[in-house]
Amino acid sequence: WLNKTVNILKDNQCTNDIFNITSKRYKDKTINICKTRKKLLFDSLDIGINENENDASYYTQIDLLRLCKKRYGEEFVEYLKANYKPVDILFDLAQKSSIVLLGGGGFAGPEWSIRISLANLYDEAYSEIGVVLKRILDSYADDWKKLQG
């Protein structure tokens, strides 16, 4: 009886070892895919990534006011806050490109942030999100510049 129990335990241990090895590879591969997508997104927006070794990059948030301040300056940020709501950008993304994102405020992020899942789309889609987002913000900035004279 003891020999049979030992053999069963060995088989289970072997199965557990194989699962752990496979699980670790799967986890590492998934994290690398998400980090690649995050890089594609951030590169398309011309912004750097804050590297964090504990970040699985499953989701990311972009602070739109910080992005706009870097691209267009503080005066534009004040114009944006006075004339738009954070959801306006989300609606424009959806209407102009069928890209649907969430506001980051509901996820403990800044009110003017967007949350992007890095696990749901093809890699190329993340570059497209950045390109379309920049195009929308550029159009807002163009309107602001026209008002400046």
Side-chain angles (χ1 to χ4, degrees):
W1 177 84
L2 187 56
N3 284 338
K4 288 181 181 179
T5 305
V6 169
N7 286 333
I8 290 171
L9 291 175
K10 277 196 238 175
D11 290 343
N12 283 341
Q13 185 61 46
C14 184
T15 302
N16 286 339
D17 289 345
I18 290 170
F19 178 75
N20 286 335
I21 291 168
T22 306
S23 177
K24 171 85 169 107
R25 278 192 230 143
Y26 176 80
K27 178 182 171 187
D28 290 345
K29 186 173 184 175
T30 302
I31 289 171
N32 286 334
I33 288 169
C34 290
K35 286 187 177 191
T36 297
R37 291 172 178 174
K38 185 176 185 178
K39 182 174 179 0
L40 289 168
L41 173 65
F42 279 59
D43 285 353
S44 69
L45 289 168
D46 301 318
I47 56 178
I49 298 174
N50 287 337
E51 291 295 338
N52 177 348
E53 67 183 50
N54 296 318
D55 181 9
S57 296
Y58 196 75
Y59 289 96
T60 192
Q61 286 191 27
I62 296 172
D63 184 331
L64 295 172
L65 295 182
R66 188 181 316 165
L67 175 64
C68 288
K69 183 177 180 180
K70 179 183 172 195
R71 289 181 62 84
Y72 314 106
E74 183 64 38
E75 287 181 32
F76 174 73
V77 169
E78 295 306 316
Y79 163 82
L80 188 68
K81 291 190 309 190
N83 293 281
Y84 295 94
K85 296 176 185 164
V87 297
D88 292 333
I89 296 169
L90 296 173
F91 286 143
D92 281 348
L93 277 166
Q95 288 176 337
K96 294 177 181 174
S97 64
S98 300
I99 294 170
V100 178
L101 302 177
L102 297 173
F107 298 94
E111 178 186 4
W112 279 87
S113 66
I114 55 176
R115 180 176 166 100
I116 303 163
S117 169
L118 299 169
N120 298 24
L121 304 172
Y122 293 107
D123 291 356
E124 302 79 30
Y126 295 95
S127 294
E128 180 67 16
I129 290 169
V131 168
V132 174
L133 180 58
K134 274 197 320 192
R135 194 177 307 137
I136 289 167
L137 295 175
D138 285 346
S139 74
Y140 293 177
D142 289 343
D143 292 345
W144 170 68
K145 288 173 188 171
K146 288 175 189 170
L147 291 174
Q148 301 298 309

